[in-house]
Amino acid sequence: MSTVEAYARFAAREVRGVSPTYERLAVAVAGDVEVLARLGTLPPAKRQPNLLFGVVRLLGGPVEDPVAFHDFVVATWPAIEAEMRVRATQTNEAGRCAVLLPVLASLPQPLALLEVGASAGLCLYPDRYGYRYGDHLLDGAPVLDCVLDGAAPPQRRPEVVWRAGLDLNPLDVTDPADVAWLDALIWPEHAHRRDRLRAAAAVAATDAPLLVRGDLVDDLPALAAQAPPDATLVVFHTSVLYQVPKPRRDEFVEVVRGLAGHWIANEAPDVLTHDGLPAPPGDAHHNVLALDGTPLAWTRGHGQAITWFGPPLRLDPDAVRRTTPS
Ligand SMILES: C[S@@+](CC[C@H](N)C(=O)[O-])C[C@H]1O[C@@H](n2cnc3c(N)ncnc32)[C@H](O)[C@@H]1O
């Protein structure tokens, strides 16, 4: 995909109706030869809208007005380029736990969670957050809102006895510079997500996860081997594989399928493909939630909606027995 197409697609599929500011900006960049020429000096993987816009926000540049944005990018390009070359989009969205929860709650408890592409690890606390699916509420904080269609809402949060993350560049929620980058990656109008970042970071700061610097193919087996054997190992990832070249994605799938336990994927359908998917619920960008390679639902990018199309998930009877006080 060309850079023009990438910005046009981002405008039409990812931010339309979700971030008018970025929709305006992405449309403007798609037609801005000066900004496109500068982006063209970067490796293809570094030209993406979220990275450019996040870096401009990190450097205090304007994103509301496309003309002011253009002037800032042209005037400040050396600093922007330097940041874009060393950074990657590492948006860490705790809200995605709301789409993982129906699956996590259905597995034999307790769980040993291993997230690949964990960023700062904020998706490793599905047992601590609260959830609101319509009028169905599960206690905890911060509360993650999710519209759930086609399935009954989960009745419980999972029991997590071990949590670990693997990332090429783990971020630290107790480091103000890392939190500033996570904040800059949140789309301008999304004050609720900024509040959620702060609240989820506070949860992670009081019970730091094991975050390991490493690659999701090369270093997964060794980290998985550290999980307690009496818990169900769950390897999961959300919005990660688009950053991984196709041959490495295939290798990852082979590695993860070779592990004991379960595998939950929440990835775009052109990144991790599945046979026989139904049509998505609309034109907006959707991920596919899958358990052990079986697709179950369409999900929105920040965990705000699930459209279930797979078989209903049943609670494992052993899990109920083990988590019910005797
Ligand atoms: C967009 S973030 C998503 C973070 C988190 N999964 C979430 O949904 O909030 C993608 C993360 O994947 C990591 N990543 C990309 N390629 C990786 C690889 N080969 N091995 C491990 N982590 C990787 C990046 O560093 C980044 O932190």
Side-chain angles (χ1 to χ4, degrees):
M1 195 188 309
S2 71
T3 308
V4 170
E5 285 165 345
Y7 279 75
R9 184 184 157 114
F10 180 77
R13 299 208 51 224
E14 294 208 37
V15 286
R16 181 159 299 159
V18 189
S19 172
T21 305
Y22 274 6
E23 183 183 354
R24 228 173 17 243
L25 224 50
V27 168
V29 170
D32 185 332
V33 288
E34 287 185 90
V35 172
L36 289 170
R38 284 163 177 78
L39 289 172
T41 65
L42 296 171
K46 294 284 180 183
R47 297 174 193 165
Q48 50 168 301
N50 266 329
L51 185 57
L52 172 65
F53 298 162
V55 164
V56 168
R57 292 191 69 241
L58 185 73
L59 296 176
V63 291
E64 299 294 332
D65 171 21
V67 175
F69 174 84
H70 165 96
D71 293 345
F72 182 84
V73 171
V74 170
T76 323
W77 180 250
I80 294 172
E81 179 186 6
E83 292 288 353
M84 288 180 78
R85 283 186 184 276
V86 296
R87 291 183 184 277
T89 53
Q90 292 198 263
T91 308
N92 200 186
E93 182 47 76
R96 293 177 182 140
C97 286
V99 304
L100 300 173
L101 188 71
V103 182
L104 294 174
S106 75
L107 295 174
Q109 311 286 311
L111 305 181
L113 296 182
L114 196 171
E115 183 182 13
V116 299
S119 184
L122 299 181
C123 293
L124 283 165
Y125 298 86
D127 53 329
R128 305 284 173 81
Y129 302 142
Y131 300 87
R132 186 163 37 223
Y133 300 94
D135 55 11
H136 181 75
L137 194 66
L138 291 169
D139 277 345
V143 174
L144 310 177
D145 278 295
C146 183
V147 177
L148 171 59
D149 275 330
Q155 297 299 313
R156 62 170 184 185
R157 300 183 301 176
E159 184 191 350
V160 178
V161 291
W162 185 81
R163 57 191 102 227
L166 189 58
D167 201 288
L168 291 178
N169 181 42
L171 297 179
D172 176 357
V173 291
T174 65
D175 179 343
D178 282 358
V179 176
W181 177 230
L182 289 171
D183 188 300
L185 286 165
I186 294 176
W187 299 348
E189 302 89 342
H190 292 198
H192 66 290
R193 292 181 56 213
R194 235 163 242 114
D195 293 345
R196 194 153 73 196
L197 168 65
R198 295 292 185 291
V203 171
T206 55
D207 178 14
L210 168 63
L211 283 184
V212 175
R213 184 178 298 274
D215 176 78
L216 53 70
V217 177
D218 299 335
D219 302 303
L220 175 58
L223 186 54
Q226 293 182 37
D230 49 355
T232 302
L233 174 66
V234 183
V235 176
F236 72 97
H237 47 98
T238 75
S239 302
V240 171
L241 295 187
Y242 76 94
Q243 298 187 0
V244 178
K246 169 83 169 92
R248 292 293 279 173
R249 273 182 242 156
D250 294 343
E251 286 179 57
F252 167 72
V253 169
E254 207 176 309
V255 170
V256 79
R257 281 188 183 281
L259 296 173
H262 292 280
W263 166 40
I264 303 175
N266 185 46
E267 300 286 347
D270 56 338
V271 168
L272 189 63
T273 54
H274 301 277
D275 291 334
L277 285 178
D283 289 340
H285 172 83
H286 282 82
N287 287 323
V288 176
L289 179 71
L291 172 63
D292 299 327
T294 300
L296 297 171
W298 292 107
T299 64
R300 289 303 309 273
H302 299 130
Q304 66 270 47
I306 309 175
T307 306
W308 202 270
F309 56 74
L313 294 174
R314 305 244 173 261
L315 281 183
D316 179 89
D318 285 334
V320 174
R321 238 185 349 264
R322 264 186 274 157
T323 54
T324 304
S326 52

